Amino acid sequence: MPQIDDLVLFTQVVEHGSFSQVAQANHITKSMVSKRVSKLETELGTQLLYRTTRKLTLTEAGEVLYYRSKDINATAKAAFDAVTGYNENLSGHIRMSVPTISGELLLAEAISDFCQQNPGLSVDMAMDNNFVDLVADNYDLVIRTGYLEDSSLIARFIFNSHWAICASPDYLAKQGTPQLPTDLRKHNCFGYTHESGGTFDWQFKNNSDVYTVKVNGNFSSNNAAGLRKSVLAGNGIAYLPMCLIYDDIQQGDLVEVLAPHSAKVVGVYAVYPYTKKPAKRIQVLIEHLRQRYFAMQERF
């Protein structure tokens, strides 16, 4: 079956009236152009051009083929341009999934600001702590924490989320302030069930080494905001994202403890399907989020 590329080359030869000009335009040799047109003639079983030293003339079959296919190059170019424009223009719709904490504390405001700055864009943001299948669930972008295993996806680092151990002043006044990580075994520690290392396995550091202390408590949850409320009520100690408790600490409603020993840091990434060039609206949104996090990095 004839190749579309050879057909395009044939239409160019007719329009330029010269093998040499077509060769120069396509950065190939004159003999290559001639061979590919001859190949097209062989595959079609008919002569398309009369060749003389002075000019090229279309045969009857050549005229039919040319007038039926002369727009193929322009059609292809228009199609490619449409896709390029789709990538480059800040317009269209973005469907994304984000963790609940990030969505509530920062992303909702940051993304709505992004939409205000780019009137041609709309974003649908689902907040879910559970793993979503980016491709199967038809998401353009997801925000994920931790290690990315799927090699068919691209991950762009946004920021590191630092976690802090905290309690209310009332709790510490009644139960005492832990001075060492092992002191936590005497306290009621709340567990975060989305912790990959274990609900009650808390990470600490000794210089460059990271180790785990198993703590105990009477309450656990998959919702960090719920754990925060329980800590504010003076019922125990929790290991929570700094972004969630930053204002509480600044206002004195919570106290950070064991700060020199805390080692839990979670990488936050923007993840999208593997492509050579993601749509510009996706690239610009990711950069917008990176800048927003950078401007508020002391909170994280």
Side-chain angles (χ1 to χ4, degrees):
M1 182 177 179
Q3 297 296 310
I4 298 298
D5 288 347
D6 292 340
L7 186 58
V8 171
L9 206 64
F10 164 71
T11 62
Q12 291 176 341
V13 168
V14 175
E15 289 165 358
H16 286 84
S18 166
F19 287 131
S20 298
Q21 290 184 33
V22 173
Q24 185 176 2
N26 290 277
H27 306 289
I28 57 178
T29 63
K30 177 182 176 181
S31 62
M32 178 60 70
V33 176
S34 179
K35 286 179 181 178
R36 285 177 60 178
V37 172
S38 296
K39 174 171 167 282
L40 182 63
E41 290 177 317
T42 300
E43 291 171 337
L44 292 173
T46 186
Q47 186 175 358
L48 301 173
L49 293 169
Y50 295 120
R51 300 163 174 82
T52 68
T53 55
R54 293 186 178 183
K55 65 177 182 177
L56 299 172
T57 306
L58 283 169
T59 65
E60 183 178 352
E63 286 185 9
V64 172
L65 183 64
Y66 172 69
Y67 285 108
R68 290 293 184 91
S69 62
K70 65 178 180 178
D71 294 330
I72 190 171
N73 196 30
T75 301
K77 186 177 184 305
F80 291 140
D81 288 344
V83 172
T84 300
Y86 184 79
N87 273 339
E88 296 302 322
N89 293 333
L90 288 181
S91 61
H93 184 68
I94 298 173
R95 187 167 183 262
M96 63 187 298
S97 174
V98 307
T100 302
I101 297 174
S102 300
E104 291 177 347
L105 295 180
L106 178 70
L107 289 174
E109 181 180 349
I111 293 172
S112 64
D113 286 346
F114 178 77
C115 293
Q116 286 294 106
Q117 296 166 16
N118 300 279
L121 276 169
S122 62
V123 177
D124 176 8
M125 184 185 75
M127 289 192 283
D128 192 341
N129 286 331
N130 294 319
F131 180 87
V132 299
D133 188 320
L134 192 152
V135 177
D137 295 334
N138 199 30
Y139 285 106
D140 301 297
L141 179 70
V142 300
I143 304 298
R144 284 188 183 165
T145 59
Y147 180 70
L148 180 70
E149 295 183 353
D150 191 343
S151 61
S152 68
L153 304 176
I154 298 295
R156 176 92 185 275
F157 174 77
I158 298 181
F159 76 106
N160 279 324
S161 173
H162 293 81
W163 289 50
I165 300 168
C166 62
S168 71
D170 287 345
Y171 175 89
L172 296 175
K174 294 175 183 177
Q175 305 296 332
T177 301
Q179 301 300 313
L180 295 172
T182 52
D183 293 341
L184 290 170
R185 292 171 180 155
K186 305 173 186 177
H187 290 267
N188 188 30
C189 298
F190 297 148
Y192 181 56
T193 57
H194 268 295
E195 172 56 61
S196 59
T199 301
F200 290 100
D201 295 305
W202 290 7
Q203 290 183 341
F204 297 94
K205 62 186 176 184
N206 181 14
N207 297 321
S208 60
D209 296 327
V210 176
Y211 63 97
T212 299
V213 172
K214 183 171 285 294
V215 299
N216 298 286
N218 60 12
F219 179 59
S220 62
S221 175
N222 66 350
N223 186 285
L227 295 176
R228 168 184 168 269
K229 286 186 176 293
S230 300
V231 176
L232 284 168
N235 295 326
I237 294 178
Y239 211 158
L240 297 172
M242 178 58 79
C243 60
L244 179 64
I245 57 175
Y246 178 84
D247 289 336
D248 298 321
I249 292 173
Q250 296 301 307
Q251 294 164 10
D253 296 325
L254 290 179
V255 177
E256 181 179 5
V257 299
L258 298 172
H261 303 276
S262 299
K264 186 174 180 181
V265 178
V266 178
V268 178
Y269 300 85
V271 182
Y272 52 90
Y274 181 84
T275 57
K276 290 184 177 179
K277 186 180 181 183
K280 186 177 181 181
R281 62 185 182 279
I282 300 296
Q283 299 178 61
V284 174
L285 175 55
I286 292 172
E287 191 57 37
H288 173 82
L289 296 178
R290 282 169 55 87
Q291 291 177 8
R292 183 63 68 93
Y293 275 116
F294 182 77
M296 303 175 67
Q297 58 184 317
E298 75 279 357
R299 304 176 65 95
F300 300 95

